[in-house]
Amino acid sequence: MALAAAYRLPVISETLADPYPHVDGHDVILASHGLILPKVQAWLDDAGLASIGENLYQKLCVELPFVRCVEAGIERTFSV
C-alpha cells in the first residue's frame, strides 16, 4: 500500500476484514475474489482509477505518513 501510495497508483485488493484507515471505492478498491474483475472493469469504464491512486496518496503520504504514525504509537506507549 505504501509503495503504491508514493507513486499515486490505485490498489485493488481482495476484501479485507478491517481495511482501516482505507475506504473501499475512495482510496482502495476491495472486492471478493470472484468480483474483482467486474469491479475493476467498472472503474476502468469510469476512468476513476486515477482518483483512487490520488486519494491513496493523500491518505498515506499526507494525512497519515509513516513517521507520524510511529511517533503517535510511541507517544501512546509512553503516556500510559
Side-chain angles (χ1 to χ4, degrees), residues 2-55:
L3 187 59
Y7 287 95
R8 292 177 164 93
L9 298 173
V11 169
I12 301 161
S13 173
E14 286 187 284
T15 303
L16 304 171
D18 181 10
Y20 178 83
H22 303 290
V23 177
D24 182 25
H26 181 309
D27 53 24
V28 295
I29 296 173
L30 304 173
S32 62
H33 180 6
L35 298 176
I36 286 178
L37 183 58
K39 201 164 185 181
V40 170
Q41 287 172 327
W43 276 99
L44 287 172
D45 290 344
D46 286 345
L49 287 179
S51 67
I52 296 290
E54 180 62 32
N55 292 341

Side-chain angles (χ1 to χ4, degrees), residues 67-80:
V67 69
R68 187 177 305 156
C69 294
V70 170
E71 289 168 347
I74 291 169
E75 186 176 311
R76 283 192 306 271
T77 299
F78 292 105
S79 67
V80 174

